[in-house]
Each structure stands twice: as structure tokens, then as C-alpha cells.
């Protein structure tokens, strides 16, 4: 796979230079073609370069970068987006879900979080390129479980572990929801603190009953109870 053409959008000089410095470690996987410090320069650069990946600060000199994305998507397909922000705000998180963001990183961005975010962007690019989805492996109390992404409805937190919910049943796996979120392929989204869902299998959302019905590739339905937060996040995503 070719390197991902990348643009960094950050209106503060020091955070911009710091992120650019950290991205030097990933020159074999990403190609930073520009760094922008304003809404206007970002808009012009994205139209000109048509990047694959965008590191995007949510606040741009009193302008909202969500407006930038709304404006872009009227004309071109959006690149993969990694939001960077100094604020841990639920509304910002909902916006990240709305635009199917690869990740949402709090500044200052740690090396570990950055590495995971870039890995997820590369995974999505590989999937879009037509690669066959890999069989996923999960450690369980009795050994190892193997599952195709299409057979998975989602995951629920269970303390430090997680419950794998497939259309054929469920199993306890020895991995936290945070760990799963970092390595699952495109199509899986964390919609609240305790839930990851396979968005490609969503069939129906019921706001009155607080349920989500997913459907397997062969048409088998699975109804899951959902929190209000999770339903709001899914409605924003759909």
C-alpha cells in the first residue's frame, strides 16, 4: 500500500510543530504534504492535495472544524480523520462519531495513542483497497476464538474483560474494550463506555425501547439493549 497523503491542521504553532515532529517516526507509512494554521488555509490545501488522512484540531481560531468537514463533504469524499483537541467534551465526541473519525486524541498527543490511531487509519485504507477482512483472534479462558468480522454484532464491557457478541452466541474474551477499540478493523465503533458495535450490521434502532437490532449476513436478527447515549451516537452516525 502507498503511503497515506496527510495534512495536519492545527492553529497553534507549538502543538503543530510537536505533532509534525512526532509524525516523522511514521515517514514509511504516511506522507505529510502540508501543515495548516487556519480554517481558510486548510480548506484550500485539502481541495488542492486531496489527502488520504487529516489530523484536525476541532477548534480553529474561533471557528469550528466540523463546519469545515460539512463544507468539504458537499464537494469531495472526506479523508480519514483523526481529531486532536484539548477538550474532552461529549459534543465533540459525537461529532467524531458522525464523521466516522478514525480516532479522537486529546492534546498533548501521546506516542502510544498516536501509533494506535495511525495503525487504524492504515487498516481502514487497506480495507478500502479491497483486502479481504482478516479473521480476528480473541483470547478466552479456554484458549483462542476465531471469528470473521461479519459474524460479530459487537462487544460489551465486563470489567477488565469483554463479552464478544456474535449472531450465534456470546463468549467472554480476555481483552478490555479499550484494547479491542484500538485493533478492530473499520466498521466497528465505540458508542459509549461499555459498548462497541459493528455498524455495518445495524438493521433497526428503536428509540422508545432503547434497542438496536443487528442482522447477520444470512438475515438472522439479534436485538441488543442500548443506553440512551449509545442510541444517540448511532443515530448521529447513520
Amino acid at each position: 500500500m502507498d503511503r497515506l497523503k496527510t495534512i495536519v491542521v492545527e492553529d497553534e504553532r507549538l502543538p503543530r510543530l510537536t505533532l509534525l515532529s512526532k509524525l516523522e517516526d511514521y515517514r514509511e507509512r504516511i506522507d505529510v504534504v502540508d501543515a495548516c494554521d487556519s480554517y481558510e488555509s486548510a480548506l484550500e490545501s485539502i481541495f488542492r492535495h486531496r489527502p488520504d488522512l487529516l489530523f484536525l484540531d476541532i477548534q480553529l481560531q474561533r471557528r469550528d472544524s466540523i463546519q469545515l468537514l460539512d463544507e468539504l463533504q458537499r464537494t469531495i469524499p472526506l479523508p480519514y480523520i483523526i481529531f486532536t483537541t484539548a477538550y474532552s467534551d461529549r459534543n465533540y465526541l459525537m461529532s467524531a462519531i458522525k464523521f466516522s473519525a478514525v480516532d479522537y486524541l486529546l492534546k498533548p498527543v501521546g506516542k502510544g495513542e498516536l501509533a494506535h490511531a495511525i495503525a487504524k487509519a492504515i487498516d481502514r485504507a487497506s480495507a478500502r483497497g479491497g483486502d479481504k477482512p482478516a479473521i480476528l483472534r480473541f483470547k478466552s479462558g479456554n484458549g483462542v476464538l476465531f471469528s470473521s468480522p461479519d459474524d460479530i454484532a459487537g462487544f460489551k464491557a465486563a470489567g477488565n474483560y469483554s463479552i464478544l457478541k456474535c449472531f450465534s452466541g456470546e463468549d467472554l474474551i480476555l481483552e478490555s474494550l479499550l484494547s479491542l477499540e484500538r485493533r478492530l478493523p473499520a466498521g466497528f465503533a465505540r458508542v459509549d463506555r461499555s459498548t462497541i458495535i459493528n455498524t455495518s450490521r445495524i438493521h433497526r434502532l428503536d428509540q422508545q425501547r432503547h434497542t438496536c437490532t443487528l442482522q447477520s449476513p444470512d438475515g438472522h436478527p439479534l436485538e441488543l439493549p442500548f443506553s440512551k447515549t449509545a442510541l444517540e451516537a448511532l443515530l448521529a452516525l447513520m
Side-chain angles (χ1 to χ4, degrees), residues 156-197:
K156 279 284 188 179
N160 292 326
Y161 303 132
S162 303
I163 297 173
L164 166 65
K165 290 186 174 289
C166 292
F167 293 99
S168 57
E170 60 183 48
D171 288 280
L172 181 69
I173 57 175
L174 309 183
E175 191 169 356
S176 70
L177 216 62
L178 177 60
S179 174
L180 288 168
E181 183 184 16
R182 289 171 170 172
R183 74 177 182 92
L184 288 170
F188 287 89
R190 186 165 183 172
V191 292
D192 63 17
R193 286 188 174 185
S194 63
T195 310
I196 291 176
I197 199 73

Side-chain angles (χ1 to χ4, degrees), residues 23 26 29-30 55 82 114-123:
L23 291 177
Y26 303 93
R29 311 305 301 272
I30 65 174
F55 283 89
I82 297 176
L114 181 62
H116 286 301
I118 291 174
K120 287 199 290 185
I122 291 169
D123 285 344

Side-chain angles (χ1 to χ4, degrees), residues 1-16:
M1 186 186 74
D2 294 336
R3 292 189 299 167
L4 296 181
K5 190 188 301 183
T6 302
I7 290 177
V8 171
V9 182
E10 167 61 67
D11 62 356
E12 294 185 56
R13 183 174 181 274
L14 183 57
R16 183 172 65 253

Side-chain angles (χ1 to χ4, degrees), residues 132-138 145-152 183 185:
K132 184 178 179 180
I135 296 297
L136 300 174
R137 297 162 50 100
F138 306 100
L145 300 173
F146 300 87
S147 183
S148 166
D150 282 343
D151 294 330
I152 298 173
R183 74 177 182 92

Side-chain angles (χ1 to χ4, degrees), residues 71-167:
E71 187 170 350
L72 285 170
Q73 70 178 356
R74 298 191 199 108
T75 307
I76 64 172
L78 290 178
Y80 303 114
I81 302 160
I82 297 176
F83 282 115
T84 60
T85 180
Y87 305 97
S88 179
D89 185 280
R90 184 170 174 272
N91 290 331
Y92 292 153
L93 180 58
M94 295 289 285
S95 297
I97 293 171
K98 173 185 174 182
F99 288 102
S100 300
V102 172
D103 216 331
Y104 177 96
L105 305 178
L106 291 177
K107 294 186 284 188
V109 178
K111 288 187 176 181
E113 289 81 4
L114 181 62
H116 286 301
I118 291 174
K120 287 199 290 185
I122 291 169
D123 285 344
R124 289 197 186 185
S126 297
R128 180 178 289 182
D131 294 348
K132 184 178 179 180
I135 296 297
L136 300 174
R137 297 162 50 100
F138 306 100
K139 290 182 180 180
S140 71
N142 298 321
V144 181
L145 300 173
F146 300 87
S147 183
S148 166
D150 282 343
D151 294 330
I152 298 173
F155 303 84
K156 279 284 188 179
N160 292 326
Y161 303 132
S162 303
I163 297 173
L164 166 65
K165 290 186 174 289
C166 292
F167 293 99

Side-chain angles (χ1 to χ4, degrees), residues 9-49:
V9 182
E10 167 61 67
D11 62 356
E12 294 185 56
R13 183 174 181 274
L14 183 57
R16 183 172 65 253
L17 294 178
T18 299
L19 180 56
L20 288 170
S21 176
K22 290 177 179 178
L23 291 177
E24 284 291 311
D25 293 338
Y26 303 93
R27 283 178 294 178
E28 293 183 0
R29 311 305 301 272
I30 65 174
D31 177 20
V32 179
V33 296
D34 201 3
C36 306
D37 62 0
S38 69
Y39 185 107
E40 292 76 13
S41 63
L43 192 64
E44 189 277 331
S45 182
I46 293 166
F47 277 129
R48 175 158 48 91
H49 291 290

